[in-house]
Amino acid sequence: GAVVSQHPSRVICKSGTSVKIECRSLDFQATTMFWYRQFPKKSLMLMATSNEGSKATYEQGVEKDKFLINHASLTLSTLTVTSAHPEDSSFYICSTSRASGSNEQFFGPGTRLTVL
Amino acid sequence: ELKVEQNPLFLSMQEGKNYTIYCNYSTTSDRLYWYRQDPGKSLESLFVLLSNGAVKQEGRLMASLDTKARLSTLHITAAVHDLSATYFCAVDHSYSGNTPLVFGKGTRLSVIA
């Protein structure tokens, strides 16, 4: 069964609104989760590392005030796209791995965001 | 900066033929991952290669890892249409515990009759 879930799977919103995406680790506690963004026909690009109980770490070029990350529990991380614009339209995918072992990442099913 | 390069980026092959996708990376990592992505879907884990010389096979796909050459290959045997998808290789961003992955650009495979 699924190890990581995301909600919603698809969202369409108007420009200027904020959208929250949830990522849940279903099988194990995840102190660290990762958020990726994928534009059409492109590869996955890491946006930020979500750390339970502390601030997220953002990759260069990713605006922390625009992409708010909250990791309030060991099984849930949320990504909020604030004041979304059409250029934020993308496929957002989260992942995590077990603390020990191979670092095999388990990816969520993704959230397709379309900003009109 | 860690780089992961795949080639080819596009591959159109006939059913029944064999082909290899190559993945070169710039780090000294001894762990490499292969994923499959279907259109509109997330990533599906295919192989986790954890050491030099590792070889894994699943159906018509076989992956190998040469850490000395910093090269992994994904070999397709007797391709069928169902294998049409985009294939990504990825390596660990760092060596510490739960770390994100750095992905290649992906190889878009189209298997035609």
Side-chain angles (χ1 to χ4, degrees):
Chain A
V3 177
V4 178
S5 70
Q6 277 184 247
H7 177 80
S9 59
R10 185 181 296 267
V11 58
I12 301 172
C13 69
K14 292 182 179 179
S15 187
T17 60
S18 293
V19 175
K20 180 187 283 188
I21 303 169
E22 293 184 349
C23 176
R24 292 183 186 275
S25 177
L26 303 177
D27 258 13
F28 51 86
Q29 294 181 334
T31 56
T32 304
M33 301 174 92
F34 305 106
W35 287 96
Y36 296 84
R37 179 168 53 183
Q38 185 181 32
F39 292 108
K41 295 180 170 50
K42 298 294 185 182
S43 187
L44 277 74
M45 297 299 294
L46 179 68
M47 296 178 66
T49 299
S50 175
N51 304 298
E52 189 268 335
S54 65
K55 291 182 179 180
T57 305
Y58 290 83
E59 295 300 298
Q60 193 172 9
V62 178
E63 300 175 57
K64 62 180 181 180
D65 294 329
K66 181 169 183 61
F67 298 98
L68 301 179
I69 290 173
N70 185 282
H71 195 147
S73 80
L74 286 170
T75 58
L76 173 65
S77 174
T78 61
L79 168 68
T80 301
V81 184
T82 62
S83 186
H85 290 283
E87 57 265 30
D88 298 323
S89 299
S90 188
F91 193 46
Y92 292 87
I93 310 174
C94 67
S95 77
T96 190
S97 77
R98 301 181 193 278
S100 60
S102 68
N103 192 44
E104 178 184 7
Q105 293 290 319
F106 298 96
F107 287 86
T111 298
R112 174 83 52 198
L113 171 63
T114 302
V115 186
L116 303 176
Chain B
E1 180 190 348
L2 171 55
K3 292 184 178 179
V4 181
E5 296 184 352
Q6 281 182 243
N7 73 84
L9 298 182
F10 300 94
L11 178 55
S12 179
M13 56 188 298
Q14 284 187 312
E15 283 189 328
K17 297 293 187 182
N18 304 331
Y19 208 84
T20 301
I21 299 170
Y22 297 88
C23 176
N24 289 92
Y25 55 97
S26 62
T27 182
T28 55
S29 175
D30 58 1
R31 301 192 302 202
L32 188 133
Y33 312 86
W34 283 97
Y35 292 89
R36 167 180 172 146
Q37 187 178 37
D38 291 297
K41 303 291 185 182
S42 187
L43 299 182
E44 173 191 350
S45 179
L46 293 176
F47 299 108
V48 178
L49 303 170
L50 300 177
S51 61
N52 185 40
V55 177
K56 290 193 174 179
Q57 182 165 4
E58 181 72 35
R60 299 174 188 274
L61 301 178
M62 183 173 70
S64 66
L65 178 61
D66 180 345
T67 58
K68 289 182 171 53
R70 301 182 187 179
L71 170 68
S72 180
T73 61
L74 180 65
H75 188 72
I76 303 159
T77 302
V80 293
H81 180 72
D82 285 350
L83 290 179
S84 297
T86 300
Y87 294 85
F88 292 96
C89 64
V91 298
D92 293 325
H93 186 269
S94 69
Y95 293 111
S96 58
N98 189 357
T99 179
L101 301 182
V102 179
F103 287 85
K105 291 185 176 181
T107 297
R108 194 177 311 163
L109 172 65
S110 176
V111 181
I112 54 178

